[in-house]
Each structure stands twice: as structure tokens, then as C-alpha cells.
């Protein structure tokens, strides 16, 4: 079955630096991969989706890459700000289940220090 | 417009009690999902509705868990005879791609 590993539970960086979060999966390569942000006491919020035929996707200060050979996605936040502090979740479709059935990683808690 | 709403936001139940958690999806969204999120973990899929049809309930952990969406809009997740291991945040999401999540219901079973 598919498993997702997000490289670290916590990542602490200084304001202004680039945060890089890693998502590795173990089995089949999905047609797409998603990144969500979750703040304490709230539900996940969708950030970006990248498809298997896309190498890179950008949205403002966010960049996602997808390497199906390495079975890995990298999520970058450039010029990070304290407001970027949150848990970031990687998710991909569970092909053993129904359409929309997502498998999530445990998340990486990012702390951006001023 | 209004997002996904869930109620109650917090629920404390005694072991053995039945609970009902409500989800109001974004108006017009056909797809609705329920997830369970334990502390420090990512959300885990429970069940999926397309309109009023429950197309996938493979993630429901036991037959104590039951979900319905009788008119294809509001959905209710019911847990019978709650156990301590049911303590978690229950998230509802609507839309297929991407999914829009509600704030969740935090359930604590004592």
C-alpha cells in the first residue's frame, strides 16, 4: 500500500530564508500530488497541486517540484515570514480507494523565527 | 461565500455514549468526504459521498461508525457506543479537487 513520509516533524528557520519541505512516497507514482497548510485548531487549506507531467509549479512565494523517478515532491517557501508558520501536509490519491480518497502525510511543522 | 462548516466544534462524551457530528458543505458541491485526524497525524480517510450516495466507506474503523447524507447536502457522522480511541478531530471536506475542509469537530471521549 502507498505510504507517505514527510522528512521531518519540525523545521525551524529564520525569517527571510527559504524553507524546503520534503514528501516521499513509497509505491506507485500518483497522477498528481497536493500540498495543504494546516493551522492549529483549523482544517487543512489547499495550497498547490502538481501533476505527474509537471516538473514544477509556482504560486507567489511557493514552489512545488515533483520527481517521479525519486518518488519525491519538494515544497519551497521563499522569503519566509513568521506568518508562514504552520503544519504543511502532503497528500496524494489512494488508488486503492475511490476517486478523491486522499492519503496524507503526518505533516511538517514549520516555525519561522523573526 | 461561506465555506464548509461543522458542528459542534467540540464534543466531550462519556465512553459508551452515542455522538452525531454535522457537516454543512459548500453549497452545490457534489462530493463530500469525512476524515479522522489523530493528534500529530495527518487526516485519514473515512468515507466519501457523491450527492446522497455513499460510494466509499472503506475507511470507517468499525460498524460503530455510520455516515449519511440523505438529501445530498448536509451530512452527519454518527459514532455509537464511543470508545476512548475514538478521540480525534473529525474533518469534513467538500469538492473533489481540491478538497475544501471545514474546521473540524474535536471529540474527546472520557
Amino acid at each position: 500500500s502507498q505510504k507517505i513520509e514527510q522528512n521531518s516533524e519540525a523545521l525551524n528557520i529564520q525569517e527571510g530564508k527559504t524553507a524546503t519541505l520534503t514528501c516521499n512516497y513509497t509505491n506507485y507514482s500518483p497522477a498528481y500530488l497536493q500540498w495543504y497548510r494546516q493551522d492549529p485548531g483549523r482544517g487543512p487549506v489547499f495550497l498547490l497541486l502538481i501533476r505527474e507531467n509537471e516538473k514544477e509549479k509556482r504560486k507567489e512565494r511557493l514552489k512545488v517540484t515533483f520527481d517521479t523517478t525519486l518518488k519525491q515532491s519538494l515544497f519551497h517557501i521563499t522569503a519566509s515570514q513568521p506568518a508562514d508558520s504552520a503544519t504543511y501536509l502532503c497528500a496524494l490519491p489512494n488508488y486503492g480507494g475511490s476517486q478523491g480518497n486522499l492519503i496524507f502525510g503526518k505533516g511538517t511543522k514549520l516555525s519561522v523565527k523573526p | 461565500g461561506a465555506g464548509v462548516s461543522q458542528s459542534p466544534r467540540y464534543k466531550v462524551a462519556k465512553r459508551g455514549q452515542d455522538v452525531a457530528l454535522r457537516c454543512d458543505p459548500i453549497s452545490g458541491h457534489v462530493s463530500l468526504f469525512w476524515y479522522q485526524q489523530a493528534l500529530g497525524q495527518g487526516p485519514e480517510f473515512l468515507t466519501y459521498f457523491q450527492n446522497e450516495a455513499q460510494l466509499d466507506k472503506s475507511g470507517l474503523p468499525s460498524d460503530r461508525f455510520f455516515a449519511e447524507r440523505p438529501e445530498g447536502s448536509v451530512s452527519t457522522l454518527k459514532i455509537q457506543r464511543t470508545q476512548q480511541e475514538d478521540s480525534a478531530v473529525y474533518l469534513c471536506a467538500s469538492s473533489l479537487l481540491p478538497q475544501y475542509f471545514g474546521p473540524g469537530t474535536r471529540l474527546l471521549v472520557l
Side-chain angles (χ1 to χ4, degrees):
Chain A
S1 62
Q2 184 73 283
K3 284 187 172 30
I4 298 179
E5 294 168 2
Q6 293 194 241
N7 62 323
S8 55
E9 289 187 7
L11 182 63
N12 299 311
I13 64 165
Q14 206 65 33
E15 182 176 9
K17 301 290 186 189
T18 296
T20 298
L21 285 65
T22 305
C23 174
N24 294 292
Y25 55 92
T26 58
N27 200 345
Y28 53 82
S29 274
Y32 59 85
L33 189 146
Q34 302 180 60
W35 285 88
Y36 286 80
R37 168 183 173 143
Q38 188 171 27
D39 290 280
R42 295 181 176 245
V45 173
F46 171 76
L47 295 174
L48 280 168
L49 179 150
I50 186 165
R51 299 191 185 275
E52 61 180 339
N53 60 348
E54 297 174 312
K55 288 267 191 298
E56 181 180 296
K57 201 84 170 274
R58 290 177 186 259
K59 179 182 171 184
E60 297 171 354
R61 293 183 296 110
L62 309 180
K63 183 177 88 170
V64 173
T65 62
F66 192 7
D67 188 328
T68 55
T69 303
L70 293 178
K71 297 190 175 182
Q72 181 180 81
S73 174
L74 298 179
F75 177 81
H76 307 272
I77 306 175
T78 56
S80 58
Q81 305 165 1
D84 295 326
S85 299
T87 295
Y88 292 86
L89 299 161
C90 165
L92 47 85
N94 178 8
Y95 288 132
S98 57
Q99 193 179 22
N101 177 338
L102 292 178
I103 303 172
F104 282 85
K106 285 186 180 181
T108 297
K109 185 174 179 181
L110 174 66
S111 295
V112 181
K113 305 292 183 192
Chain B
V4 178
S5 60
Q6 293 187 243
S7 61
R9 291 295 315 276
Y10 302 92
K11 177 71 181 176
V12 179
K14 290 184 180 175
R15 191 158 53 95
Q17 214 176 348
D18 296 351
V19 297
L21 313 180
R22 177 188 168 108
C23 171
D24 281 85
I26 295 171
S27 178
H29 279 188
V30 165
S31 300
L32 185 147
F33 302 85
W34 284 98
Y35 290 85
Q36 180 190 60
Q37 187 173 25
L39 196 63
Q41 304 294 315
E44 286 196 8
F45 171 82
L46 292 177
T47 188
Y48 162 53
F49 289 87
Q50 188 175 83
N51 294 307
E52 68 278 4
Q54 189 175 20
L55 298 187
D56 186 350
K57 52 182 182 179
S58 62
L60 296 176
S62 77
D63 58 9
R64 297 186 295 104
F65 287 71
F66 172 76
E68 60 183 5
R69 194 186 184 197
E71 295 176 3
S73 54
V74 170
S75 178
T76 304
L77 176 67
K78 297 179 179 177
I79 310 173
Q80 297 177 320
R81 304 182 304 281
T82 52
Q83 304 292 315
Q84 285 186 318
E85 61 263 27
D86 300 334
S87 296
V89 175
Y90 291 86
L91 294 163
C92 174
S94 70
S95 178
L96 199 56
L97 199 66
Q99 293 181 18
Y100 297 96
F101 284 82
T105 294
R106 185 175 297 272
L107 173 65
L108 178 62
V109 182
L110 302 175

